[in-house]
Amino acid sequence: MAGTGGGSNDVQWCFSQVKGAIDDDVAEADIISTVEFNHSGELLATGDKGGRVVIFQQEIENKSQPQCRSEYNVYSTFQSHEPEFDYLKSLEIEEKINKIRWLPQKNAAQFLLSTNDKTIKLWKISERDKRLEGYNLKEEDGRCIDPNTVTALRVPVFRPMDLMVEASPRRVFANAHTYHINSISINSDHETYLSADDLRINLWHQEITDRSFNIVDIKPVNMEELTEVITAAEFHPNQCNTFVYSSSKGSIRLCDMRASALCDKHSKLFEEPEDPSNRSFFSEIISSISDVKFSHNGRYMMTRDYLSVKIWDLNMETRPVETFQVHEYLRSKLCSLYENDCIFDKFECCWNGNDSVVMTGSYNNFFRMFDRGQQRDVTLEASRESSKPRQVLKPRKVCAGGKRKKDEISVDSLDFNKKILHTAWHPQDNIIAVATTNNLYIFQDKVN
């Protein structure tokens, strides 16, 4: 696979680290629900179903040991969301973190947005390695001193202390979504962001928590006429007026906020006509788009539906310029996947640093990479068996039918409880993070 440099040399992926307990009994709260690198790749954040955010920091590169360059260690852990109860609707609001998005760094501190189904929070992550000593009106333990007993003034001084990482909530954006939030996206103006639920998209200012502007509303007057829902939304990486949202019917709408305040009328509609030969009872379910991502250069966007990844040129709405089959061998298994609800799994996708390779997850803890330039693909596995330091990952092959070769895996033996829904790619290097149920696997290209 070509790497972030886009060269023709194949990248050999090798195991780097695995985070989380290696245990067969997985607590529901420990299941990872989102993974996101920050803009430099130095920090990697994960959110889980227990409402926790865990941030890992990349170790400083050791020139004498290049194989250790991408060690990520725990930097900060904090409880982002707690379970709540909506008394008006008699509904529990679970604490699960649906999305994390990093804000571009402006000073020494880092900021991120995290959201559950209803509430978005802005967190500040900062370091403290000094403490103030020598107060005039209080003791070192915090007790106040009677001002009448002070006989001399002291100048307080900073003293070194052990590094402490603090996570503090700076803003809480609540009460704006009737339905479950599925996406948040930071605008390139660095001042606003959008949040999307099943039927509406809201535009927020990062400094204002008590109001947002509704920019898309697809809710019909009569809910019985509802035919599609919003599944994902994202701002363009460098055009602050442009955003896209995808639907459960397999279409993507590009909107321009300069056209009108309410963007119910899209500027472009990206939709591929369905192949009549593949028409089935499950067609509408598997055409639902679970993720949409702009390329870093803003020319293309990638969408993920149940069976495939599609690359769209923003200048061509009629059909995708590239289509990659992720697990076409499952088409014959759709009936059993419908019965066990796996057909409703929402797989995410991501680009590498220079948009030449795309990655997405599959079942049996497999994940797929597609090289756009060389039209090649590979299937790799995140497993305990291949978790020795710097062990090279062997490509896996699935046998769809007929006689199975020695190294192939039969479709019938795939474990559908093991699935990779969330993946992330380092913005500059060949380092990837892959979330299996409660474990975070980190892989990197092999260093000779």
Side-chain angles (χ1 to χ4, degrees):
M1 298 300 297
T4 49
S8 59
N9 295 332
D10 281 5
V11 170
Q12 280 192 304
W13 291 96
C14 61
F15 172 82
S16 177
Q17 293 170 276
V18 60
K19 305 291 185 182
I22 305 291
D23 195 357
D24 290 328
D25 293 328
V26 179
E28 182 80 8
D30 294 334
I31 295 174
I32 296 172
S33 54
T34 185
V35 182
E36 188 80 4
F37 279 103
N38 75 336
H39 296 272
S40 67
E42 182 198 359
L43 298 176
L44 172 62
T46 65
D48 63 27
K49 285 194 172 181
R52 295 179 298 258
V53 172
V54 181
I55 300 174
F56 301 94
Q57 183 182 41
Q58 190 175 17
E59 289 284 296
I60 297 168
E61 186 170 343
N62 188 336
K63 293 278 195 301
S64 61
Q65 291 181 292
Q67 70 271 17
C68 298
R69 80 183 195 281
S70 60
E71 282 276 311
Y72 281 82
N73 293 319
V74 175
Y75 178 64
S76 177
T77 303
F78 59 93
Q79 188 72 31
S80 173
H81 288 72
E82 301 279 359
E84 297 174 62
F85 192 79
D86 186 332
Y87 292 98
L88 287 174
K89 296 182 179 175
S90 296
L91 285 175
E92 286 186 26
I93 302 169
E94 59 180 359
E95 63 272 36
K96 174 192 161 198
I97 307 296
N98 291 342
K99 284 286 184 287
I100 291 172
R101 291 291 179 264
W102 291 92
L103 274 63
Q105 190 173 5
K106 296 177 182 174
N107 52 35
Q110 297 274 359
F111 290 85
L112 64 81
L113 287 170
S114 64
T115 184
N116 67 350
D117 285 341
K118 299 288 181 184
T119 306
I120 305 158
K121 295 184 180 180
L122 174 67
W123 291 88
K124 178 184 180 182
I125 294 94
S126 53
E127 295 181 353
R128 268 196 6 208
D129 59 358
K130 293 183 177 65
R131 70 172 184 270
L132 205 55
E133 284 186 3
Y135 291 104
N136 288 288
L137 296 177
K138 64 179 179 181
E139 301 281 4
E140 298 304 329
D141 59 7
R143 285 179 297 131
C144 292
I145 298 172
D146 183 357
N148 298 319
T149 62
V150 177
T151 56
L153 286 176
R154 293 185 294 177
V155 177
V157 292
F158 279 108
R159 300 277 186 219
M161 60 178 268
D162 291 337
L163 179 67
M164 189 166 77
V165 180
E166 293 178 316
S168 53
R170 309 299 287 185
R171 308 265 188 283
V172 178
F173 306 88
N175 306 319
H177 284 278
T178 309
Y179 307 97
H180 292 176
I181 298 171
N182 56 47
S183 303
I184 49 176
S185 179
I186 313 289
N187 198 344
S188 58
D189 64 9
H190 299 174
E191 287 188 349
T192 57
Y193 73 92
L194 65 76
S195 58
D197 65 24
D198 294 338
L199 297 177
R200 297 189 180 103
I201 300 176
N202 292 336
L203 180 69
W204 300 83
H205 194 285
Q206 292 172 19
E207 302 290 328
I208 302 168
T209 61
D210 60 353
R211 68 179 180 274
S212 62
F213 296 96
N214 180 228
I215 53 175
V216 172
D217 186 348
I218 65 167
K219 183 183 178 184
V221 177
N222 181 2
M223 282 295 276
E224 289 180 4
E225 296 170 7
L226 182 69
T227 58
E228 64 180 332
V229 295
I230 298 167
T231 55
E234 188 174 62
F235 266 122
H236 192 278
N238 44 49
Q239 294 173 12
C240 64
N241 54 285
T242 306
F243 68 94
V244 294
Y245 66 93
S246 59
S247 86
S248 56
K249 278 194 163 179
S251 58
I252 311 103
R253 291 172 174 84
L254 183 140
C255 301
D256 188 340
M257 293 193 292
R258 296 172 301 184
S260 65
L262 189 64
C263 299
D264 282 354
K265 290 189 173 69
H266 50 266
S267 301
K268 291 187 177 184
L269 174 65
F270 299 85
E271 199 168 29
E272 186 177 26
E274 187 187 0
D275 182 356
S277 64
N278 284 332
R279 179 77 191 160
S280 74
F281 170 76
F282 307 107
S283 294
E284 195 164 308
I285 301 172
I286 63 173
S287 67
S288 176
I289 293 171
S290 55
D291 197 17
V292 58
K293 294 270 172 63
F294 277 109
S295 60
H296 295 90
N297 62 17
R299 171 73 188 273
Y300 302 97
M301 66 179 172
M302 165 171 52
T303 59
R304 171 71 208 262
D305 57 41
Y306 190 66
L307 293 179
S308 64
V309 168
K310 293 173 182 173
I311 312 292
W312 300 80
D313 188 321
L314 295 192
N315 299 322
M316 189 169 80
E317 303 161 57
T318 50
R319 59 185 173 83
V321 288
E322 297 157 45
T323 300
F324 302 109
Q325 300 302 332
V326 178
H327 37 219
E328 183 63 21
Y329 47 80
L330 294 182
R331 193 176 286 277
S332 61
K333 301 283 179 191
L334 292 177
C335 191
S336 56
L337 291 165
Y338 178 76
E339 288 170 359
N340 63 17
D341 281 347
C342 284
I343 201 168
F344 301 106
D345 285 334
K346 291 175 170 41
F347 292 95
E348 295 173 7
C349 52
C350 62
W351 300 84
N352 73 338
N354 70 352
D355 305 327
S356 63
V357 183
V358 297
M359 175 171 66
T360 191
S362 182
Y363 293 104
N364 209 63
N365 281 354
F366 288 170
F367 58 99
R368 305 268 281 136
M369 289 184 184
F370 302 95
D371 188 315
R372 298 177 59 212
Q374 300 184 30
Q375 293 296 307
R376 289 192 296 172
D377 62 273
V378 68
T379 303
L380 300 171
E381 182 181 9
S383 73
R384 301 172 193 175
E385 285 72 40
S386 56
S387 56
K388 293 175 187 153
R390 297 184 295 285
Q391 181 179 347
V392 175
L393 300 185
K394 289 181 183 174
R396 309 305 303 265
K397 281 192 169 57
V398 177
C399 172
K403 194 173 181 184
R404 186 168 62 89
K405 294 177 184 172
K406 183 185 174 188
D407 294 330
E408 289 185 338
I409 296 163
S410 166
V411 177
D412 296 321
S413 61
L414 294 175
D415 188 342
F416 293 106
N417 292 317
K418 293 180 178 177
K419 58 191 86 168
I420 292 174
L421 303 177
H422 314 288
T423 60
W425 201 309
H426 190 290
Q428 280 115 33
D429 296 330
N430 276 332
I431 300 169
I432 56 173
V434 170
T436 61
T437 314
N438 67 321
N439 295 125
L440 182 71
Y441 285 84
I442 298 171
F443 303 104
Q444 65 180 57
D445 59 340
K446 187 180 181 188
V447 179
N448 297 319

